Amino acid sequence: MTRESTAPPLEPEPPKHGRPRSRLARMSALLLAGLAAGMVTIWVFRTQIAATIAIAALKNNGYPSASMSVIRLGFHRATVATLVLSPNLRASKIEATYTLNGILSKQLESLHVTGFYFDSTPSTTSPDGAFQIPLIEIPVDRLRVTGSRATLQTTSGGVDIDFSGDLTR
């Protein structure tokens, strides 16, 4: 005697609308493409973004007429051209090297300043004759200054001082 199954025959399930797995894959792909496009955009405009942030920081630290041009910004080195902090305080080129740990601890590995110029006009001196320059403190392991000049205004006229040098901590 054979037993007949009383269960209905298996029928394929009707297709689900939109197939959730393919929709999830499409959404993930779009999200990933958008993220990649955003990262590429940030990388392409990184020098302009860095210059904008740096100028804002300088203006907040007492240099209202600060300007600069970031010409190179990489993972371990940055180069700034024509840094102007005020009409009488500027540098033609600054190269900085750094590490990720140094950036996190706000410290540079090396700093090379070329064409630094300082002029002690009456606007940068106090009534007692002392220089008034707002300081920016950046710890650095090695500092090199080349092709630089300071003009110190005295009661007898200006004195030009050319200087270059290295400082290692």
Side-chain angles (χ1 to χ4, degrees):
M1 195 161 133
T2 62
R3 274 175 113 185
E4 300 228 1
S5 173
T6 57
L10 293 176
E11 293 181 19
E13 288 188 30
K16 294 181 180 176
H17 296 289
R19 298 175 64 185
R21 287 188 181 188
S22 66
R23 189 174 350 172
L24 180 61
R26 269 193 307 248
M27 288 176 61
S28 297
L30 284 173
L31 182 64
L32 187 59
L35 182 62
M39 295 300 288
V40 167
T41 302
I42 288 172
W43 183 256
V44 168
F45 293 106
R46 72 191 182 281
T47 56
Q48 292 92 335
I49 294 167
T52 301
I53 292 169
I55 289 169
L58 288 169
K59 288 182 178 185
N60 288 336
N61 283 300
Y63 295 100
S65 61
S67 67
M68 72 170 63
S69 175
V70 177
I71 56 175
R72 181 178 172 199
L73 181 62
F75 292 110
H76 299 287
R77 181 181 303 268
T79 305
V80 172
T82 58
L83 171 66
V84 178
L85 299 177
S86 68
N88 54 355
L89 186 59
R90 61 186 180 271
S92 61
K93 185 177 179 183
I94 297 175
E95 293 178 298
T97 59
Y98 43 83
T99 61
L100 179 58
N101 287 339
I103 290 172
L104 295 176
S105 63
K106 298 179 182 177
Q107 181 169 337
L108 296 175
E109 198 171 277
S110 70
L111 192 64
H112 183 181
V113 180
T114 304
F116 176 76
Y117 175 74
F118 171 71
D119 183 0
S120 68
T121 61
S123 65
T124 60
T125 55
S126 65
D128 64 356
F131 299 122
Q132 295 179 325
I133 303 172
L135 294 178
I136 300 171
E137 294 184 33
I138 302 173
V140 62
D141 292 332
R142 290 183 308 276
L143 173 65
R144 171 174 274 177
V145 178
T146 57
S148 298
R149 185 176 88 234
T151 300
L152 304 178
Q153 300 297 333
T154 68
T155 55
S156 302
V159 176
D160 287 334
I161 302 169
D162 293 329
F163 62 96
S164 296
D166 293 321
L167 178 65
T168 301
R169 180 163 52 143

